[in-house]
Amino acid sequence: MEKPEIIMAPGPTPVPPQVYLAQGSPLVYHRGPGYGAVLREVTDNLKTILRTSNDLLIFASSGTGGLESAVANLFSPGDRVVVPVAGYFGERFAKIARAFHLDVRVIDYEWGQAVRAGDVSTALDEAPASAVLMQQSETSTGVIHDVEAVGRVTRDRGVLLVADVVSSLGAVPLDADGWGVDVAVGGSQKAFSATPGLAFVSVSDAAWAASKTATNPRFYFDWAAYKASYELKTPENPFTPAISLMLGLQAALRLYMEEGPEEVLSRHRILSEATKEGVRALGLDLFGEHSERAWAVTAVRAPEGVDGNELVAKVRADHRIILAPGQGPLKGKVFRIGHLGYYDRFDIIRCLAALEMTLEEMGYPVKRGAAVAAAEGVFASR
Amino acid sequence: MEKPEIIMAPGPTPVPPQVYLAQGSPLVYHRGPGYGAVLREVTDNLKTILRTSNDLLIFASSGTGGLESAVANLFSPGDRVVVPVAGYFGERFAKIARAFHLDVRVIDYEWGQAVRAGDVSTALDEAPASAVLMQQSETSTGVIHDVEAVGRVTRDRGVLLVADVVSSLGAVPLDADGWGVDVAVGGSQKAFSATPGLAFVSVSDAAWAASKTATNPRFYFDWAAYKASYELKTPENPFTPAISLMLGLQAALRLYMEEGPEEVLSRHRILSEATKEGVRALGLDLFGEHSERAWAVTAVRAPEGVDGNELVAKVRADHRIILAPGQGPLKGKVFRIGHLGYYDRFDIIRCLAALEMTLEEMGYPVKRGAAVAAAEGVFASR
């Protein structure tokens, strides 16, 4: 017997049966009250989870499309933006900004470091900038950047703050309006456990004002078109939406709201702690600053003599569990365990058991059951 | 009892149960041999149906995203393009080109007219142009433009031909390579009967050459990134793909290939004729030039005293069948019946019966059963 592979990479994440059933349900025609109600419900739930009263727009695209939409709608060629880069997705945001001919001031960090608000402040002091573009969760390192602290810097100076929350939203705390996030960009396939193919952005008044004068070209991702269609008597998309994915996201968000946003966050915190204690109990070192807030992804240093990529490949081949390898400079040196989304205690225990067995086979000294025991200890203390 | 609404609008179209089941199946992780095989199979089948040996790239987006990708990858600001506009989607292509700051030479037609290759020739004679951007099926009028004839004009002059085949591919004949189509843009939710959210483009060598020097910004729709990822040992997408929609499209294309491309075209032709004969038997007039090749959509003039929009609304309210209203200048004057995709004879008969009943209720003199009889006549003659 072969069960399907188990995804414990940071997205896409496992999908609840309710979401699969919704995706396999009859299409709701995209013009009319049926789809209008779906769009409104999904929009409202996303706003609740983001903690924003700003407009929220949904695209048929992956998260990267949402990031591009921010660059295309907010800026004109030559606009200066500050982009802290502490991993793969920081690099991606900088690349998008360069592709749209912005003047990109990168703040370079070693991968694994957390962005420091003081550095952003310094970069903004050098020369005026239109915006700061940053991640909340740098998926490649697992590090959660302090968006709240950066928000204090940008708000003081009237600079826009654009936050990529694709792999953090719903898994770690976020208060978009409270922290002064002008544009938050999220995706369907992370903590919500829907499947990939939908991106969304929240847009503050200041961001709308910037978009009015921005000359970068956009059509498919033109925010104004999505807003106008949403504000019809029966909300619509300007272009045919990914209806089945919207039905899936609707089901996923219902599950999320039934559990309750605070409860979901608490679950992510506990599963993250259990994962980290389990890994530590095997004598492995965590990677990245502030691992205590890395509730979405646990990044682990591959131990001496073990190649991280080989470990990930072997766990997949032997146990059908998909971890994520290190990217860029971390290739082979780090592996990552995703635990954002539809996970419970036994998903973590299963994963730690697979890790124990695989490390032992690779010649690393393992005390069988040690990681699982440590995780049980975390669960027992709750 | 209420069955789901029946879509007889030109996309999205009804979805076979096999496609729903595929969309409701476990995700295949997007990095690895499982997804690689899906991507390769879908790509190969689309190339077969397009009749092209060019590269084929698939995006998580609606068809409009695919159109934008052509404008973003092929051109630089100020490039002159010729855009025949004979309906809503012609206008859309012109708008996208303007949004990307191209020099757009529109050839204006009345809605319902077919593009004439001679007009394209004249527009190209006025001044050099980089490309012609046109529809094969102008969904808003049902008219099928003669891409083959325009292809002779563009090929002679070394001008790129970009064809929007979103609502025609698989429903009417196309020979992308034979006709000299450099870029064909299609979508998942039309004749293939998959659900919306995927777009794809074929890219000829000449189009690749143009993209090398094109300076319009692109990242999410950057063709080169998709090609590079596809050419990895295990094909991938550069950004997380809409995995569930790909599984659905895979299932849809298997059904399409099992039936056979020629057989599918023949079915579309017969259903189109039956629809048109049925409508004529009620004394209604077809709308648009060359209705004999309009195998995707039948556009019908609303009869004197009947508002087309009211008719569409009433058919939906009373019979749960979704027709499409007239757009733009055709609002109220025309209604449209989509018959591209997963339709058989009885879908057409059901639709014609609903039309008979609704027209009668709206005070239009109807001979009950006349439209159905005419359709049966078409079926009997095959």
Side-chain angles (χ1 to χ4, degrees):
Chain A
M1 186 202 69
E2 278 206 339
K3 290 192 182 179
E5 291 186 310
I6 296 157
I7 300 177
M8 296 207 66
T13 60
V15 176
Q18 292 91 331
V19 174
Y20 282 131
L21 286 170
Q23 290 190 166
S25 302
L27 286 185
V28 176
Y29 191 61
H30 64 299
R31 304 204 189 283
Y35 184 75
V38 173
L39 179 55
R40 204 187 295 271
E41 178 183 329
V42 168
T43 301
D44 287 346
N45 277 336
L46 289 175
K47 287 171 67 166
T48 299
I49 296 168
L50 280 161
R51 295 181 177 266
T52 186
S53 58
N54 291 331
D55 289 314
L56 187 127
L57 315 171
I58 305 174
F59 311 110
S61 81
S62 67
T64 301
L67 298 177
E68 172 165 320
S69 87
V71 172
N73 281 272
L74 290 172
F75 308 118
S76 305
D79 281 359
R80 183 171 187 265
V81 293
V82 170
V83 186
V85 173
Y88 185 81
F89 287 91
E91 282 183 357
R92 176 170 292 181
F93 225 162
K95 280 182 190 169
I96 298 173
R98 283 192 205 101
F100 280 75
H101 310 304
L102 305 192
D103 174 13
V104 181
R105 164 65 163 92
V106 163
I107 306 177
D108 253 318
Y109 293 97
E110 277 196 34
W111 287 37
Q113 288 188 301
V115 172
R116 283 178 294 272
D119 298 338
V120 174
S121 187
T122 305
L124 291 173
D125 284 343
E126 291 167 7
S130 305
V132 173
L133 316 180
M134 71 181 292
Q135 284 64 49
Q136 182 175 31
S137 165
E138 173 49 76
T139 322
S140 66
T141 63
V143 171
I144 301 297
H145 297 314
D146 189 346
V147 172
E148 184 176 13
V150 175
R152 281 190 289 266
V153 170
T154 50
R155 189 144 51 175
D156 280 355
R157 294 155 198 255
V159 167
L160 293 173
L161 176 57
V162 181
D164 165 359
V165 301
V166 171
S167 73
S168 59
L169 183 64
V172 305
L174 173 71
D175 182 358
D177 287 359
W179 297 354
V181 176
D182 291 289
V183 177
V185 182
S188 48
Q189 78 279 19
K190 306 287 183 175
F192 302 137
S193 311
T195 72
L198 295 173
F200 50 86
V201 295
S202 66
V203 182
S204 72
D205 289 344
W208 280 119
S211 77
K212 297 277 187 294
T213 56
T215 63
N216 266 338
R218 67 267 189 181
F219 190 89
Y220 182 66
F221 291 121
D222 181 24
W223 288 350
Y226 287 81
K227 181 175 164 72
S229 293
Y230 188 78
E231 288 175 351
L232 294 172
K233 214 176 75 187
T234 302
E236 287 184 4
N237 286 82
F239 315 115
T240 311
I243 302 170
S244 298
L245 300 186
M246 286 294 287
L247 294 174
L249 182 55
Q250 179 186 40
L253 291 172
R254 283 182 183 179
L255 292 172
Y256 193 98
M257 298 310 280
E258 271 171 33
E259 185 176 357
E262 289 308 315
E263 288 72 13
V264 174
L265 292 179
S266 164
R267 175 166 56 80
H268 279 83
R269 182 172 52 75
I270 293 167
L271 296 184
S272 170
E273 284 176 19
T275 306
K276 288 170 177 61
E277 287 307 312
V279 163
R280 281 196 189 104
L282 294 175
L284 302 180
D285 293 323
L286 298 178
F287 176 82
E289 291 183 356
H290 294 292
S291 65
E292 77 286 354
R293 63 188 191 215
W295 301 354
V297 179
T298 295
V300 187
R301 286 185 195 277
E304 194 66 34
V306 170
D307 179 88
N309 280 33
E310 280 176 31
L311 174 70
V312 168
K314 192 167 166 56
V315 170
R316 185 169 183 179
D318 294 353
H319 303 293
R320 302 180 64 73
I321 292 178
I322 302 174
L323 306 178
Q327 293 172 293
L330 306 181
K331 199 174 163 180
K333 297 179 189 159
V334 160
F335 65 94
R336 294 172 295 147
I337 304 170
H339 35 67
L340 73 167
Y342 186 62
Y343 293 107
D344 69 7
R345 296 168 172 205
F346 294 106
D347 294 307
I348 303 303
I349 283 177
R350 175 171 60 187
C351 179
L352 291 171
L355 198 57
E356 291 179 1
M357 291 189 278
T358 307
L359 282 168
E360 181 178 334
E361 281 213 28
M362 291 178 83
Y364 178 82
V366 166
K367 188 181 163 206
R368 291 181 190 162
V372 170
E376 288 177 7
V378 170
F379 298 140
S381 69
R382 304 292 146 183
Chain B
M1 185 202 70
E2 278 206 338
K3 290 192 182 179
E5 291 186 311
I6 296 158
I7 300 177
M8 296 207 66
T13 59
V15 176
Q18 291 91 331
V19 174
Y20 282 131
L21 286 170
Q23 290 190 166
S25 302
L27 286 186
V28 176
Y29 191 62
H30 64 300
R31 304 204 189 282
Y35 184 76
V38 173
L39 179 55
R40 204 188 295 271
E41 177 183 329
V42 168
T43 301
D44 287 346
N45 277 336
L46 290 174
K47 287 171 68 166
T48 300
I49 296 168
L50 279 161
R51 293 179 177 269
T52 187
S53 59
N54 291 331
D55 289 314
L56 187 127
L57 315 171
I58 305 174
F59 311 111
S61 81
S62 67
T64 300
L67 298 177
E68 173 165 320
S69 86
V71 172
N73 281 272
L74 290 173
F75 308 118
S76 305
D79 281 359
R80 184 172 186 263
V81 293
V82 170
V83 186
V85 173
Y88 185 81
F89 287 91
E91 282 184 357
R92 176 169 293 181
F93 225 162
K95 280 183 192 170
I96 298 173
R98 283 193 204 99
F100 280 76
H101 310 304
L102 306 191
D103 174 13
V104 181
R105 165 65 164 89
V106 163
I107 306 176
D108 253 317
Y109 292 97
E110 277 196 34
W111 287 37
Q113 288 188 301
V115 172
R116 283 178 296 271
D119 298 338
V120 174
S121 187
T122 305
L124 291 173
D125 284 342
E126 291 167 8
S130 305
V132 174
L133 316 180
M134 71 181 294
Q135 284 64 50
Q136 182 175 33
S137 166
E138 174 47 78
T139 322
S140 66
T141 64
V143 171
I144 301 297
H145 297 314
D146 189 345
V147 172
E148 184 176 12
V150 175
R152 280 190 290 265
V153 171
T154 50
R155 189 144 50 175
D156 280 355
R157 293 154 199 257
V159 167
L160 293 174
L161 176 57
V162 181
D164 165 359
V165 301
V166 172
S167 74
S168 59
L169 183 65
V172 305
L174 173 71
D175 181 358
D177 287 359
W179 297 354
V181 176
D182 290 289
V183 177
V185 182
S188 48
Q189 78 280 18
K190 306 286 183 176
F192 303 137
S193 311
T195 72
L198 295 173
F200 51 87
V201 295
S202 67
V203 183
S204 73
D205 289 344
W208 279 119
S211 76
K212 297 276 187 295
T213 57
T215 63
N216 266 337
R218 67 267 189 181
F219 190 89
Y220 182 66
F221 291 121
D222 181 24
W223 289 349
Y226 287 81
K227 181 175 164 73
S229 294
Y230 188 78
E231 289 175 350
L232 294 173
K233 214 177 77 186
T234 301
E236 287 184 3
N237 286 82
F239 315 115
T240 311
I243 302 170
S244 298
L245 300 186
M246 285 294 288
L247 294 174
L249 182 56
Q250 179 186 41
L253 291 172
R254 283 182 183 179
L255 292 172
Y256 193 99
M257 298 310 280
E258 271 171 33
E259 185 176 357
E262 289 308 315
E263 289 71 14
V264 174
L265 292 178
S266 165
R267 175 166 56 81
H268 279 83
R269 181 172 53 75
I270 293 167
L271 296 184
S272 170
E273 285 176 18
T275 306
K276 288 169 177 61
E277 287 307 312
V279 162
R280 281 196 188 103
L282 295 175
L284 303 180
D285 294 323
L286 298 178
F287 176 82
E289 291 182 355
H290 294 293
S291 65
E292 78 285 355
R293 63 187 191 215
W295 301 354
V297 180
T298 294
V300 187
R301 285 185 195 279
E304 193 67 33
V306 170
D307 180 87
N309 280 33
E310 280 176 32
L311 174 70
V312 168
K314 193 167 165 56
V315 170
R316 185 169 183 179
D318 294 353
H319 302 293
R320 302 179 64 73
I321 292 178
I322 302 174
L323 306 178
Q327 294 173 292
L330 306 181
K331 199 174 164 180
K333 297 178 189 160
V334 160
F335 64 94
R336 294 172 294 147
I337 304 169
H339 34 67
L340 72 167
Y342 187 62
Y343 293 107
D344 69 8
R345 296 168 172 207
F346 294 106
D347 294 307
I348 303 302
I349 283 176
R350 174 172 60 186
C351 179
L352 291 171
L355 198 56
E356 291 179 0
M357 292 189 278
T358 307
L359 282 167
E360 181 178 334
E361 280 212 28
M362 291 178 82
Y364 178 82
V366 166
K367 188 182 162 205
R368 292 181 189 161
V372 170
E376 289 177 6
V378 170
F379 298 140
S381 69
R382 304 293 145 184

